[in-house]
Amino acid sequence: MALVPTRIQLNRPLPPLTYLAPEGLPEGVRVRVRLRTTAAMGLAMGPDPAPPAARLRPIEGILDPFPLLPPKLRELHRFAARYYGCLEAHLLPLSLPQALLPHWEAEEDGQPLSFHRDREAWDVLAERGEVWHRDPAILPTLLHRAALRGVGLTEVRLTGAPHPPRVTPAQAKVLLALEDAGGALMEPELLEAAGVGMSVLGTLEKRGLVVRMKRVDLLAQRREAGADRTVTLNEEQRAALEAVALGTFGVHLLQGVTGSGKTEVYLALAERALAANRRVLWLVPEIGLTGRLLSRLEARFPGRVAVGHAGLNAGEKHGDVTRLLFNGASLFVGVRNAVLAPLRDIGLIVVDEEHEGSYKSEEHPRIHARDLAIKRAQIEDCPIVLGSATPSLESWQAAQEGRYRLLRLRQRPAGITLPKVEIVDLRDVYREARRKVILAPPLMQALGETLTRGEQALLLLNRRGYENFWMCRACGKALGCPHCAISLTYHRGDFRLRCHLCGHETAPPEACPDCGAEHLRGVGEGTEQVEEHLRQLFPSARILRLDRDTTRRRGSLEAGLLAAEAGQVDILVGTQMLAKGHTFPRLTLVGVLNADQGLKVADFRASERTFQLLTQVAGRAGRAELAGRVILQTYSPDHPAITFALAQDFEGFAASELPFREGLGYPPFTALSLYRAEADTPRQAHEALEAFRQRLSVPGLRVLGPLEAGVPRVRDRWRMHLLLKGGRGALSEVLRRHPLDPGGSVSLDRDPLQFG
């Protein structure tokens, strides 16, 4: 067996390594290698043109007979690796679960794949892979599990071995039933058809006449489909539908007020794409939005939907990805990482709530799903629809320049009007009450009236916990996290002071750790305190709090949202997760307790995020026949983000905000690359970035830093930032000329959204 030096990428903070692998091994197959003393999965990337002089280890095994990812998805992986400065192996787990392994004994025309492997006929296997990607049915058992452990459905198949001279009548019934079914049947169906017990199958398996395997590709999530609502599209929706041409690449920005029926347009487009035998990729920003959407999709497209998000267990992820590889699902809906799902022949991509920051990963690899979805649509040569009531200013500017096609929905359905929005100036409330209050009198009165009418209310405060931090009134110091440069948040239910960055927690002290004074007092309020306050004011009301603390258990968020939709909740209290895309038919009052909270962040996108959040949460009110009312409590009633949200005027806000962005040289008028350094000391982090800055040799860049990060210390590591402004071409050239060591102290965040 000829072994040649081969580059292997690992999903580790390491550069590509060189191992000995069989000559002709296709690029893109997964292999098993030995990394020091542990086994690791790697990605073969072809022969190494300049192998090191050191003694090389051979790989330990070849896991895939051919690349499992569809060719167009592999092209997207290559683009994303170049653009975001990572390795393709770092992206691979976002497309394929590591536990998903092919079955080498899978047969095509009676010949197992292992036969070609043992002959080192990699060219033959590569050809089989190309044919399999066109028609997965040629290898029906490729991703079955030989072991019968775990989740899945068991299939019984004939092995093709010659029948022995004698078989019992019961065994003959099994063999005849399998032959009548074309050689394979699900185990329960076979037992029923043959009228035999499990012992008969066991005997046949021992004799080599049948084989039992797990069919994980049939493990779809068990979802109850609701009734398919037939909706007649209005004139605006029909115009948007007709403007999207299937079969060709184009980016369409669907901007419509909350409740204007954007989902109906998506559904109609998906129906057309599926009717043309193409597939649909549908992205949503939050796991909480998938439950209700899935019931609608299952009702409209029964048996054709698969799903992907972090809330699935390993078996569910394994099963639905296998369905995609075998073309068993025509529509895939999921959150951020679903943009890299192994879906073939895509005819439409939908990105709902395209402005949401959750599409951007804050962990390596730092991809942006919306931007990658646009690139994937270009590779697949299909249309993509970006939808939002409050588009990102990057998408809006692209539409104004004609790079995206703008589609508008200005009206809610007949009989449903936009909610009435009111401002409460908390400065006036403080002067009158001579103290800070959680609920201003107008909001208190509106809550009482809403409950009297038997309707629902939603209160938004984008800060969890009971009190924001504890402070000593004697020396003025706040109780901070010993590992991060932020204060600890008090959680009264657990009686804990907790860091929301590293998870450190401690019991509240009786005296100040710095001065010893017993004058510790909590400052600010979180959702936990608001919930307690409401229970005191409205003891008979059914109150539900939804934030990260109350939705840790799997399914708890979806259960809470379903209860609210069913009218089993009177007052919803929560963070921004309640502002996104949910429909509560009896919700008529929305209260935002601190509308200008997000404006206090040192971030050029602070106004945009505040406007988007307020507009989105206001859209939750009055979504059915009942009139809606929104009350914004704020200390900054004259801020443009507040005033334009009050008027539900996105175009006015964009016209006000964009000149500031252009004058300061921020997106959408320039692109950003944020280089981050982490080290044991501030000096080490600064020196790492300064050394990188000194090497920069690309013209047309503006360089800011090195400077301390917004939160300079996290998990005992000091953080510094270096911000590069320039055109996308110049920033890509920096990455080409100055590639980063995957295991080094400096990392890249391309098109950053967070600067903390």
Side-chain angles (χ1 to χ4, degrees), residues 74 202 226 231 256 289 361:
R74 291 182 59 206
V231 177
L289 297 181
S361 173

Side-chain angles (χ1 to χ4, degrees), residues 184-497:
L185 263 178
M186 303 310 296
E187 188 176 75
E189 298 172 9
L190 175 60
L191 295 175
E192 184 178 354
V196 300
M198 284 293 299
S199 61
V200 179
L201 293 185
T203 303
L204 289 173
E205 190 172 23
K206 288 179 182 177
R207 300 179 72 178
L209 299 179
V210 302
V211 61
R212 296 161 67 229
M213 307 178 75
K214 282 286 187 182
R215 286 200 58 169
V216 292
D217 56 304
L218 293 182
L219 183 69
Q221 288 193 94
R222 302 298 179 244
R223 295 181 289 265
E224 292 186 10
D228 183 19
R229 302 199 311 265
T230 302
V231 177
T232 302
L233 301 185
N234 61 31
E235 187 175 340
E236 285 183 332
Q237 291 170 321
R238 288 196 300 272
L241 175 64
E242 298 303 327
V244 180
L246 298 179
T248 183
F249 171 65
V251 186
H252 304 79
L253 179 61
L254 181 61
Q255 193 267 328
V257 297
T258 54
S260 58
K262 294 184 288 295
T263 302
E264 299 300 336
V265 177
Y266 304 152
L267 287 168
L269 285 168
E271 196 162 19
R272 290 188 175 187
L274 296 179
N277 293 320
R278 302 291 298 275
R279 294 178 175 82
V280 177
L281 177 61
W282 190 316
L283 302 182
V284 294
E286 295 284 351
I287 180 177
L289 297 181
T290 58
R292 184 171 177 274
L293 175 62
L294 282 172
S295 65
R296 293 196 65 185
L297 292 174
E298 284 283 7
R300 182 72 64 94
F301 312 112
R304 306 181 70 180
V305 181
V307 62
H309 55 68
L312 304 180
N313 63 37
E316 289 168 330
K317 290 178 183 177
H318 197 292
D320 274 333
V321 168
T322 307
R323 287 184 69 200
L324 297 187
L325 288 171
F326 275 87
N327 296 340
S330 305
L331 193 154
F332 188 69
V333 57
V335 294
R336 180 176 60 230
N337 293 344
V339 71
L340 295 174
L343 193 63
R344 300 186 191 87
D345 197 25
I346 298 175
L348 173 70
I349 299 178
V350 172
V351 183
D352 195 16
E353 308 292 359
E354 65 87 26
H355 67 279
E356 282 291 345
S358 53
Y359 282 124
K360 179 74 163 75
S361 173
E362 296 303 328
E363 298 177 353
H364 184 80
R366 291 186 168 95
I367 64 171
H368 197 305
R370 178 199 62 207
D371 298 345
L372 277 186
I374 294 173
K375 183 64 180 179
R376 187 163 192 181
Q378 184 183 35
I379 293 172
E380 298 278 357
D381 196 23
C382 74
I384 178 171
V385 180
L386 312 177
S388 176
T390 56
S392 64
L393 292 182
E394 288 86 348
S395 296
W396 179 255
Q397 184 64 19
Q400 299 305 301
E401 295 172 356
R403 291 184 285 123
Y404 298 175
R405 182 169 183 178
L406 181 61
L407 310 175
R408 307 295 297 275
L409 299 179
R410 294 181 171 88
Q411 301 173 348
R412 282 186 164 191
I416 301 177
T417 59
L418 286 171
K420 177 185 176 184
V421 186
E422 309 165 30
I423 289 283
V424 174
D425 191 337
L426 289 175
R427 297 171 300 182
D428 295 337
V429 174
Y430 185 85
R431 280 193 291 265
E432 293 176 8
R434 295 186 178 274
R435 62 182 178 86
K436 183 179 179 181
V437 297
I438 296 177
L439 302 177
L443 182 54
M444 282 272 292
Q445 181 180 348
L447 271 172
E449 294 170 353
T450 301
L451 295 176
T452 300
R453 293 193 301 268
E455 297 166 358
Q456 285 178 321
L458 184 156
L459 297 183
L460 176 79
L461 178 61
N462 204 22
R463 190 178 295 275
R464 60 193 174 103
Y466 190 85
E467 290 163 333
N468 302 160
F469 60 92
W470 271 26
M471 186 181 78
C472 176
R473 299 286 176 167
C475 68
K477 291 189 177 180
L479 299 185
C481 174
H483 310 292
C484 306
I486 66 167
S487 57
L488 297 171
T489 300
Y490 177 50
H491 292 254
R492 187 170 184 174
D494 299 329
F495 193 62
R496 283 290 184 271
L497 289 166

Side-chain angles (χ1 to χ4, degrees), residues 615-662:
T615 304
Q616 292 284 338
V617 74
R620 300 312 111 211
R623 306 255 311 180
E625 291 75 16
L626 302 172
R629 183 182 179 188
V630 180
I631 297 178
L632 306 181
Q633 296 186 168
T634 176
Y635 288 99
S636 309
D638 300 323
H639 194 284
I642 306 288
T643 56
F644 285 114
L646 181 69
Q648 299 276 291
D649 183 4
F650 171 77
E651 289 190 53
F653 172 77
S656 169
E657 182 73 8
L658 284 170
F660 290 102
R661 298 277 188 93
E662 187 172 19

